[in-house]
């Protein structure tokens, strides 16, 4: 399949790379940090950084800058935070940096055609999947939710489609059986930074090739919505465990206690042994020792909830919740 796709050589730049970086969260900050190291070792430079606006965070709703902004300011690189790239003002601000390459990692904004066409050497994106699988906003979480044993990073040239541009380099990242989004994210962020540098080194050496994406095997990883995180206990325990892993530490899978209060779940495991007696969603066993566990019957097997966030409370172990007499055997989570 891939062997029949024509690979297109990429000409080496004829001048030093002058780069504008676009990104927002921690995942992107790892790529910016790696890019800074690359620039320090070569004749490349980072002219400016574009990131999303500061957002309210925490109980006090204090305006908090995104991780990429914090790192860029520490590096002494100019930072721009336009609400959109589709205004003449934002475009002129970008053009003023006279960049010949744009690097993007989890920016969270669509780049219009005029931006994609602006830099002489194109726009390179660091995407958190093995394309063409999991194009879109939530590739890492969707891979875990789907129970995949591995995922990876793809660097690609951007076009007007959503993650449909020509692929450049890839690397594979394992997903362990007990990994969650937090642990996978951190490994992926590091891998993304390393692959970006590898891609730029290949570009500068004239050895980079671009490979058009096949449509066969293409999937879309939509943004995780609240409804996606609701636990359906009629599904198999292994599927529910993957959902909990993929949504932890954020936004968290959730259900309701018998009194209608929200119960978020941060960690779980699949119960050993055969399927316990009980309708799906029924609490069939409680363990108040150590971290403890709330064992809930599923459509197939049972899931043990080990760490939770009750409505109006902080994170706690299942054992703490049980000792507070907040749940009983025979009750149903809905």
């Amino acid at each position: 399949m891939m062997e029949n796709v024509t690979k297109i050589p990429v000409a080496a730049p004829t001048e030093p790379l002058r780069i504008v970086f676009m990104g927002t969260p921690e995942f992107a900050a790892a790529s910016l940090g790696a890019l800074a190291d690359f620039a320090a070792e070569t004749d490349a430079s980072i002219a400016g950084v574009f990131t999303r606006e500061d957002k309210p965070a925490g109980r006090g709703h204090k305006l908090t800058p995104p991780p990429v902004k914090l790192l860029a300011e520490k590096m002494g690189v100019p930072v721009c935070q336009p609400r959109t790239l589709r205004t003449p003002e934002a475009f002129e601000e970008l053009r003023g940096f006279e960049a010949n390459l744009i690097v993007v990692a989890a920016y969270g904004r669509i780049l219009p055609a005029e931006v994609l066409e602006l830099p002489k050497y194109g726009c390179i994106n660091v995407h958190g999947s093995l394309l063409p699988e999991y194009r879109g906003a939530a590739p890492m979480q969707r891979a875990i939710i789907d129970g995949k044993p591995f995922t990876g990073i793809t660097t690609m040239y951007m076009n007007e489609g959503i993650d449909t541009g020509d692929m450049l380099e890839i690397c594979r990242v394992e997903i362990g059986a007990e990994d969650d989004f937090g642990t996978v994210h951190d490994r992926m962020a590091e891998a993304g930074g390393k692959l970006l540098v590898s891609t730029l080194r290949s570009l500068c050496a004239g050895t980079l090739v671009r490979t058009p994406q096949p449509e066969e095997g293409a999937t879309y990883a939509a943004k995780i919505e609240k409804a996606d995180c609701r636990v359906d206990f009629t599904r198999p325990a292994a599927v529910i465990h993957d959902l909990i892993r993929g949504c932890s530490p954020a936004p968290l899978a959730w259900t309701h206690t018998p009194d209608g209060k929200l119960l978020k779940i941060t960690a779980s495991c699949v119960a050993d042994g055969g399927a316990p007696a009980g309708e799906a969603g029924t609490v069939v066993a409680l363990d108040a020792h150590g971290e403890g566990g709330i064992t809930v019957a599923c459509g197939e097997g049972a899931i043990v909830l080990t760490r939770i966030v009750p409505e109006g409370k902080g994170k706690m172990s299942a054992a703490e919740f049980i000792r507070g007499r907040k749940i009983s055997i025979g009750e149903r989570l809905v």
Side-chain angles (χ1 to χ4, degrees):
M1 182 176 69
M2 289 296 295
E3 289 76 6
N4 297 326
V5 176
T6 301
K7 296 181 183 294
I8 306 164
V10 179
T14 56
E15 59 193 11
L17 294 179
R18 183 172 171 82
I19 303 165
V20 161
F21 181 85
M22 297 181 174
T24 302
E26 289 287 354
F27 177 83
S31 286
L32 177 57
L35 185 60
D37 291 340
F38 169 78
E41 297 168 3
T42 65
D43 58 1
S45 61
I46 303 174
V49 165
F50 279 64
T51 189
R52 297 286 294 269
E53 311 96 293
D54 297 2
K55 289 188 175 182
R59 292 187 177 181
H61 299 287
K62 180 181 178 182
L63 275 181
T64 303
V68 161
K69 178 180 179 180
L70 293 174
L71 179 56
E73 289 179 337
K74 185 178 179 180
M75 292 162 49
V77 177
V79 177
C80 302
Q81 295 177 276
R83 290 185 176 275
T84 176
L85 292 174
R86 298 186 182 276
T87 64
E89 294 79 12
F91 183 74
E92 288 305 315
E93 190 172 31
L94 175 60
R95 185 158 62 177
F97 286 110
E98 300 181 339
N100 55 24
L101 177 71
I102 292 176
V103 171
V104 181
Y107 180 34
R109 294 221 185 279
I110 300 295
L111 272 60
E114 62 180 357
V115 171
L116 294 171
E117 296 166 1
L118 181 62
K120 180 178 180 179
Y121 302 121
C123 300
I124 291 178
N125 184 38
V126 181
H127 183 72
S129 81
L130 298 175
L131 291 170
E133 193 174 50
Y134 297 116
R135 297 168 176 169
M140 290 180 275
Q141 289 165 296
R142 295 289 181 185
I144 300 167
I145 290 170
D146 290 346
K148 296 286 186 178
F150 61 88
T151 182
I153 301 289
T154 305
T155 51
M156 53 172 281
Y157 273 123
M158 300 177 71
N159 60 17
E160 291 189 69
I162 298 177
D163 301 321
T164 56
D166 292 353
M167 299 178 292
L168 298 172
E169 295 186 349
I170 63 170
C171 70
R172 179 166 145 163
V173 176
E174 302 297 321
I175 302 176
E178 300 307 317
D179 272 326
D180 63 14
F181 173 50
T183 56
V184 172
H185 168 278
D186 291 351
R187 287 205 298 277
M188 289 280 281
E190 182 180 2
K194 290 180 179 178
L195 192 67
L196 171 60
V197 170
S198 172
T199 301
L200 295 181
R201 291 193 187 282
S202 296
L203 173 64
C204 293
T207 57
L208 192 65
V209 295
R210 52 195 300 166
T211 305
Q213 287 189 47
E215 281 305 311
E216 183 179 351
T219 58
Y220 183 70
K223 179 183 176 182
I224 303 292
E225 303 290 351
K226 182 179 179 181
D228 298 325
C229 304
R230 182 165 191 166
V231 176
D232 178 1
F233 288 104
T234 65
R235 305 194 74 190
V239 172
I240 295 170
H241 177 56
D242 290 338
L243 173 67
I244 293 168
R245 294 191 301 133
C247 294
S248 183
L252 293 180
W254 58 274
T255 184
H256 288 112
T257 53
D259 59 2
K261 290 186 177 180
L262 185 66
L263 183 69
K264 295 182 178 181
I265 308 159
T266 65
S268 65
C269 62
V270 176
D272 295 330
E279 186 178 358
T282 303
V283 177
V284 295
L286 297 172
D287 178 7
H289 302 287
E291 287 288 290
I294 302 167
T295 304
V296 184
C298 303
E300 181 183 310
I303 190 85
V304 183
L305 313 181
T306 56
R307 294 199 65 81
I308 57 178
V309 184
E311 185 173 321
K313 304 289 184 181
K315 294 180 181 179
M316 64 176 64
S317 68
E320 290 174 295
F321 191 67
I322 294 165
R323 289 195 294 268
R325 300 182 185 276
K326 301 296 185 181
I327 195 77
S328 301
I329 292 176
E331 293 184 323
R332 286 191 67 211
L333 304 179
V334 293

